[in-house]
Amino acid sequence: MSLYRSRHVAARFAPALFRIFVRLYVRPRVEGIEHIPREGAFIIASNHASHADTAVIYTVLPREVRPRFVAAAAQDYFFQGGIMQFLSRILFNAIPIARDRRGGQDPLRHAARALREGYALLLFPEGTRSTTGEIGPFRSGVGRLIAEFPGTPVIPTYVGGTNRVMPKGKLIPRPYKVTVRFGEPMHLKAHPKLRATWQTAADEVREAVIQLSGTALAHSASSDQAE
């Protein structure tokens, strides 16, 4: 379980300090935490509106899951060296996902290997951050992983409020409350050689996330009115 875990000395203490900061700064409200498997490989498939999404999801995960957590991150954005790559690696054990096939390599090779090794993999199937607040189409990559790893649970996940914390194009986070809702594990099927089934599975996951978003938004609105 050390394959993708950062070996930098800062990884021994920085994640714990970071989680404290996130909890105090955005006060995440969590629902459905009981749906997170405590062992074995699984996929967290979430909507994506902000770079804060990964931080919030990682922070609220159960303690026993965090050591085997990896976050899929865009190779062309987070893996070009410098501070972004350094922080994403020591905080979230980030692994690169290519958004295209240039270079001839499998863009999901690290994601597949992480699942094979028993990690909890965070994916943003939209492939990019939403600028409208709406959940965009899910790419077929998550369906391909479902086909390649049958029986692996997929946890549909909705994160709300992070677009206010760190909107696309902004680097300084702002202190707004956020909501994370984990749905029941999905055990979907797709055929390894039939791409159409990959997209069908991806669409099913997206629909589950959309359902969670409606519940979470309604819950947030009622809570705000009560305050």
Side-chain angles (χ1 to χ4, degrees):
M1 191 50 66
S2 63
L3 178 64
Y4 286 117
R5 292 181 65 178
S6 173
R7 295 176 176 82
H8 194 282
V9 64
R12 300 177 185 176
F13 61 87
L17 296 176
F18 185 74
R19 289 194 303 273
I20 293 172
F21 166 76
V22 172
R23 287 191 177 278
L24 292 176
Y25 202 70
V26 300
R27 293 172 288 169
R29 177 171 51 215
V30 189
E31 301 175 33
I33 195 67
E34 69 275 9
H35 298 315
I36 296 293
R38 279 5 186 220
E39 58 184 20
F42 63 92
I43 299 169
I44 301 171
S46 175
N47 66 303
H48 196 24
S50 168
H51 283 324
D53 295 335
T54 300
V56 171
I57 291 172
Y58 168 71
T59 295
V60 303
L61 286 175
R63 177 177 55 83
E64 59 268 39
V65 174
R66 292 194 299 262
R68 56 191 180 88
F69 172 85
V70 294
Q75 181 173 314
D76 59 317
Y77 191 96
F78 287 96
F79 287 87
Q80 302 301 311
I83 190 65
M84 294 292 286
Q85 180 170 327
F86 174 73
L87 290 176
S88 63
R89 283 290 302 137
I90 66 168
L91 293 176
F92 313 122
N93 298 320
I95 58 174
I97 299 291
R99 290 194 266 198
D100 56 49
R101 285 186 172 271
R102 282 181 290 184
Q105 292 185 317
D106 179 3
L108 293 176
R109 64 189 184 281
H110 290 292
R113 189 171 183 183
L115 291 175
R116 195 172 296 116
E117 296 287 333
Y119 282 89
L121 171 67
L122 171 61
L123 280 181
F124 297 112
E126 290 166 276
T128 189
R129 288 165 289 165
S130 170
T131 58
T132 64
E134 297 183 359
I135 299 174
F138 276 18
R139 298 185 180 187
S140 64
V142 66
R144 181 195 139 185
L145 292 175
I146 289 168
E148 189 171 344
F149 298 92
T152 299
V154 178
I155 311 299
T157 302
Y158 174 75
V159 184
T162 52
N163 59 322
R164 295 194 302 167
V165 173
M166 188 181 288
K168 190 171 184 177
K170 301 294 183 180
L171 296 177
I172 306 300
R174 297 177 293 184
Y176 288 103
K177 290 182 181 180
V178 299
T179 297
V180 183
R181 188 177 180 91
F182 298 109
E184 295 183 7
M186 303 178 72
H187 294 87
L188 303 172
K189 294 183 179 180
H191 194 285
K193 295 183 179 180
L194 297 179
R195 289 177 174 267
T197 67
W198 302 356
Q199 189 60 58
T200 298
D203 292 343
E204 289 186 53
V205 177
R206 178 177 181 267
E207 182 58 33
V209 176
I210 290 174
Q211 292 300 316
L212 290 170
S213 74
T215 304
L217 288 172
H219 183 77
S220 297
S222 62
S223 296
D224 291 341
Q225 292 175 359
E227 293 175 359

